Amino acid sequence: MEEDMTENISKILSEIDTENLPVHIGIIMDGNGRWAKQRGLPRHLGHQEGMKKVVQIVEACNEIEINNLTLYAFSTENWKRPSIEVEALMNLLVVFVRKELQRLHENNVKIKILGDISKLPEVPLREVHRAVELTSDNSGMTLNIALNYGGRQEITKAVIDILTDVNKGNINIDGIDEKTISEYLYTKGQPDPDLIIRPSGELRLSNFLIYQAAYSEFWFSDVLWPDFNANHLYRAIVDYQKRNRRFGGI
Ligand code: IPE
Ligand code: IPE
Ligand code: MG
């Protein structure tokens, strides 16, 4: 896992088997605060540096034609942070959309949001809606941004929505199966993540895609998100391709 990540990008690219790509990659963008702390900087500058990595990684995924990328940007638990940090993160979201939306759109990226964005402040909410609407007809990679996202919140919402539909007679209890549950999640219609990447040295999901990750492969690294680059991404994919996915079989 801790190989030299300065290796040549074309060398790693040549190691990727294009016939066996993960269809859906999830990334828990963690370590911004520690990156800033290491440099004696305020945490928000770590988030700012981390934000710069988003477009780079989206383009690195686009380059090799990954179909779905989910980036964990803000969890349902992140509201616990000091309000000044939450405000800085919301502000960065606005900066991100204003700065990068056009470029993502030109790359034919379709932006979707996973999470309860109704809780977002007005300006970030408006910018997020603009990003989703502008790119809704794009046919390239789907970029899911998990924003005020929590896997438990998502499942709770699915249960409520299913019960509501049962009550209305729209669906029948006998017809509910695992596929039904998937159809009531924010990732409706999308494949489950094949590969979940978490930088920053933490070895946990932190409420990320807990239903969808049932058979995901995990790739962890001590690198902090602001230092994460395309080499790390491609290394994770090469490592993923060496895994033996059995899905309970032999
Ligand atoms: C990830 O970086 C960004 C968000 C959770 C929004 P952190 O802010 O969690 O960074 P660390 O974990 O404190 O280093
Ligand atoms: C997970 O990181 C959430 C995001 C990256 C958006 P956290 O930093 O919030 O997770 P914990 O608190 O270390 O589990
Ligand atoms: Mg963290």
Side-chain angles (χ1 to χ4, degrees):
M1 214 193 299
E2 300 310 317
E3 294 103 316
D4 178 14
M5 288 301 169
T6 57
E7 66 186 305
N8 188 302
I9 197 100
S10 55
K11 183 180 166 287
I12 306 190
L13 267 173
S14 71
E15 287 178 44
I16 294 178
D17 173 5
T18 52
E19 299 295 310
N20 181 28
L21 287 169
V23 177
H24 184 174
I25 298 177
I27 306 181
I28 300 170
M29 305 188 289
D30 196 18
N32 297 346
R34 279 162 283 172
W35 184 92
K37 194 174 177 201
Q38 281 176 358
R39 287 159 181 76
L41 299 169
R43 290 179 60 87
H44 74 91
L45 290 182
H47 295 310
Q48 186 175 305
E49 203 59 29
M51 185 195 76
K52 291 185 193 162
K53 285 297 145 91
V54 173
V55 163
Q56 281 184 36
I57 295 305
V58 170
E59 290 185 348
C61 283
N62 224 354
E63 183 84 21
I64 57 167
E65 297 183 14
I66 297 297
N67 279 316
N68 302 66
L69 172 67
T70 300
L71 298 177
Y72 202 5
F74 193 89
S75 76
T76 47
E77 288 73 46
N78 287 149
W79 297 105
K80 290 181 197 162
R81 297 186 179 202
S83 59
I84 185 150
E85 180 165 345
V86 172
E87 274 165 37
L89 285 164
M90 293 298 154
N91 217 14
L92 273 174
L93 180 61
V94 173
V95 171
F96 174 77
V97 174
R98 291 186 181 163
K99 193 162 166 273
E100 312 288 6
L101 177 60
Q102 202 50 44
R103 185 155 156 193
L104 291 169
H105 186 43
E106 282 160 18
N107 278 316
N108 201 19
V109 171
K110 186 190 189 93
I111 297 173
K112 290 191 175 176
I113 302 296
L114 314 183
D116 179 11
I117 52 168
S118 69
K119 302 291 185 302
L120 258 53
E122 191 188 328
V123 178
L125 182 63
R126 197 166 59 222
E127 291 298 306
V128 162
H129 278 307
R130 190 165 70 83
V132 171
E133 276 158 31
L134 179 72
T135 62
S136 63
D137 292 328
N138 287 350
S139 56
M141 185 176 86
T142 296
L143 170 63
N144 298 310
I145 303 177
L147 211 53
N148 191 22
Y149 173 87
R152 289 184 172 179
Q153 186 276 337
E154 177 180 46
I155 292 167
T156 306
K157 180 183 180 302
V159 170
I160 294 168
D161 290 348
I162 289 169
L163 289 175
T164 305
D165 275 343
V166 168
N167 276 340
K168 285 183 183 162
N170 294 340
I171 57 168
N172 197 312
I173 289 186
D174 302 331
I176 296 174
D177 57 14
E178 292 179 6
K179 200 157 168 277
T180 315
I181 311 291
S182 295
E183 289 297 301
Y184 281 81
L185 300 178
Y186 293 117
T187 47
K188 176 183 189 319
Q190 299 190 48
D192 289 335
D194 300 294
L195 171 62
I196 292 182
I197 295 172
R198 183 166 194 163
S200 93
E202 308 298 354
L203 308 178
R204 55 176 171 264
L205 272 179
S206 301
N207 211 3
F208 184 54
L209 302 177
I210 53 174
Y211 187 86
Q212 298 89 332
Y215 272 101
S216 301
E217 296 293 330
F218 294 94
W219 194 85
F220 297 106
S221 163
D222 286 335
V223 68
L224 303 172
W225 173 251
D227 292 326
F228 194 89
N229 60 36
N231 285 42
H232 299 101
L233 174 80
Y234 294 153
R235 175 55 55 200
I237 293 172
V238 169
D239 288 348
Y240 160 85
Q241 293 182 328
K242 293 177 189 150
R243 306 270 180 93
N244 181 1
R245 303 184 77 191
R246 285 185 291 276
F247 299 98
I250 52 170

